[in-house]
């Protein structure tokens, strides 16, 4: 059982609105796969018994070039195509079509790299500061251009994603180097993060808590260590966190401006 009463097969608790639908799909696929296994098993035993060696009977075998029946394979093929068309694709397109409008969501940019997750939040102005690969450094892994007025109130984090509960958030994701894959098992969805391309993924967290972010695409020697955390907080706690980060950032910018003019 998961937190909202749905049945799951060995999965950690669901923490998003659509998570139990995904679990329902996975449970259904397991049920029909077990059914297929049992039917094939029974058929196999039937054949072994029915066509066993008997006194006075000689086996007949197909000659080279002679066609065997495609019917059993055809049934399985049709069944699996039906599973994909009737359940898999509709679920996927529903998730994609139901991407919440940007105005009702928190939009966060994600830049993956070997081996970290970098997040950028637009500040109170709602605008993301410009990014420029030429500005990338150890202290500025996303290459955010601090000269851009829109960047002044942006917040960045590494490996820690903070989001409010009961509000959709949309990740706009890209990668600096190789293909990574953003996965939060409790959220029941994942998406490749591809260099030179923007992919999106959305969630509406339904339960406050801390959940692990994992990279689900083999991306190099540090792949298994490419982990992070998503902290789902109440709206008030999230606002408090954001305010503190912003104050820290503004104070730091002021400090460096003061030291550069002195
Ligand atoms: Cu990034 Cu595996």
């Amino acid at each position: 059982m998961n937190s909202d009463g749905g049945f799951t097969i060995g999965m950690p608790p669901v923490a998003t609105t659509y998570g139990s639908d995904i679990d329902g799909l996975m449970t259904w696929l397991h049920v029909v796969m077990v059914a297929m296994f049992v039917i094939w098993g029974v058929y196999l035993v039937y054949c072994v018994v029915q066509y066993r060696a008997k006194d006075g009977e000689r086996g007949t075998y197909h000659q080279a070039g002679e066609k065997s029946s495609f019917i059993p394979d055809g049934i399985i093929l049709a069944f699996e195509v039906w599973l994909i068309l009737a359940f898999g694709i509709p679920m996927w397109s529903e998730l994609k079509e139901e991407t919440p409008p940007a105005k009702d969501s928190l939009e966060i940019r994600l830049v993956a790299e070997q081996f970290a997750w970098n997040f950028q939040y637009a500040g109170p102005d709602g605008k993301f500061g410009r990014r420029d690969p030429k500005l990338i450094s150890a202290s500025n892994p996303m290459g955010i251009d601090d000269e851009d007025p829109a960047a002044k109130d942006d917040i960045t984090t590494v490996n820690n994603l903070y989001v409010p509960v009961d509000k959709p958030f949309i990740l706009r994701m890209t990668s600096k180097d190789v293909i990574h894959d953003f996965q939060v098992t409790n959220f029941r969805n994942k998406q490749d993060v591809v260099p030179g391309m923007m992919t999106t993924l959305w969630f509406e967290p339904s339960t406050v808590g801390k959940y692990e972010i994992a990279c689900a695409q083999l991306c190099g020697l540090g792949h298994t260590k490419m982990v992070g955390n998503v902290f789902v907080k109440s709206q008030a706690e999230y606002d408090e966190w954001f305010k503190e980060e912003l104050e820290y950032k503004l104070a730091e910018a002021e400090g460096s401006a003061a030291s550069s003019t002195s």
Side-chain angles (χ1 to χ4, degrees):
M1 286 287 197
N2 65 27
S3 57
D4 47 38
F7 181 75
T8 62
I9 298 174
M11 295 288 282
V14 164
T16 43
T17 47
Y18 58 66
S20 33
D21 292 345
I22 304 280
D23 283 350
L25 177 67
M26 282 198 286
T27 303
W28 168 238
L29 290 177
H30 278 87
V31 166
V32 295
M33 286 301 147
V34 166
M36 266 166 68
F37 175 79
V38 169
I39 292 166
W40 270 123
V42 168
Y43 180 63
L44 176 72
V45 170
Y46 165 80
C47 289
V48 165
V49 173
Q50 179 68 22
Y51 302 109
R52 69 188 185 279
K54 289 179 204 141
D55 286 343
E57 272 187 36
R58 274 183 66 81
T60 52
Y61 300 97
H62 287 295
Q63 304 298 313
E66 197 183 336
K67 285 235 165 62
S68 56
S69 171
F70 181 67
I71 291 170
D73 303 276
I75 292 171
I76 293 298
L77 181 65
F79 184 67
E80 292 186 344
V81 168
W82 173 70
L83 287 179
I84 294 169
L85 294 182
F87 300 99
I89 291 177
M91 170 74 69
W92 182 245
S93 63
E94 199 182 305
L95 286 187
K96 286 291 164 190
E97 276 165 19
E98 282 181 359
T99 301
K103 65 173 171 50
D104 301 331
S105 321
L106 171 64
E107 203 175 317
I108 300 164
R109 298 226 169 134
L110 160 60
V111 177
E113 66 176 278
Q114 290 173 316
F115 299 94
W117 307 100
N118 301 291
F119 300 99
Q120 180 186 14
Y121 296 74
D125 66 357
K127 291 196 196 107
F128 288 93
R130 205 172 63 85
R131 290 194 290 111
D132 183 344
K134 289 202 273 303
L135 298 171
I136 288 173
S137 66
S139 61
N140 185 7
M142 296 180 86
I144 293 169
D145 183 1
D146 284 330
E147 300 297 310
D148 180 7
K152 296 268 188 265
D153 60 351
D154 286 7
I155 299 299
T156 56
T157 63
V158 183
N159 293 337
N160 288 327
L161 174 64
Y162 297 83
V163 288
V165 72
D166 296 330
K167 181 182 175 155
F169 72 93
I170 304 174
L171 289 173
R172 307 248 179 241
M173 316 188 288
T174 192
S175 169
K176 284 200 312 213
D177 36 46
V178 299
I179 301 176
H180 302 274
D181 191 295
F182 183 89
Q183 171 180 358
V184 179
T185 310
N186 299 79
F187 288 1
R188 302 293 197 270
N189 204 355
K190 59 170 98 171
Q191 173 76 52
D192 272 5
V193 184
V194 186
M197 195 175 157
M198 192 75 89
T199 54
T200 62
L201 189 57
W202 75 275
F203 299 103
E204 185 175 333
S206 54
T207 316
V208 167
K210 174 184 167 189
Y211 308 101
E212 189 186 70
I213 300 167
C215 181
Q217 176 65 51
L218 186 58
C219 56
L221 279 178
H223 163 68
T224 53
K225 296 197 174 68
M226 195 168 163
V227 287
N229 286 300
V230 42
F231 297 90
V232 178
K233 293 172 171 292
S234 69
Q235 184 71 50
E237 274 180 334
Y238 171 80
D239 291 342
E240 184 62 27
W241 168 80
F242 196 92
K243 201 173 129 241
E244 273 175 26
E245 290 290 312
L246 185 59
E247 275 167 11
Y248 178 76
K249 154 124 195 202
L250 294 176
E252 204 183 35
E254 220 164 77
S256 67
S259 63
S260 64
T261 50
S262 62

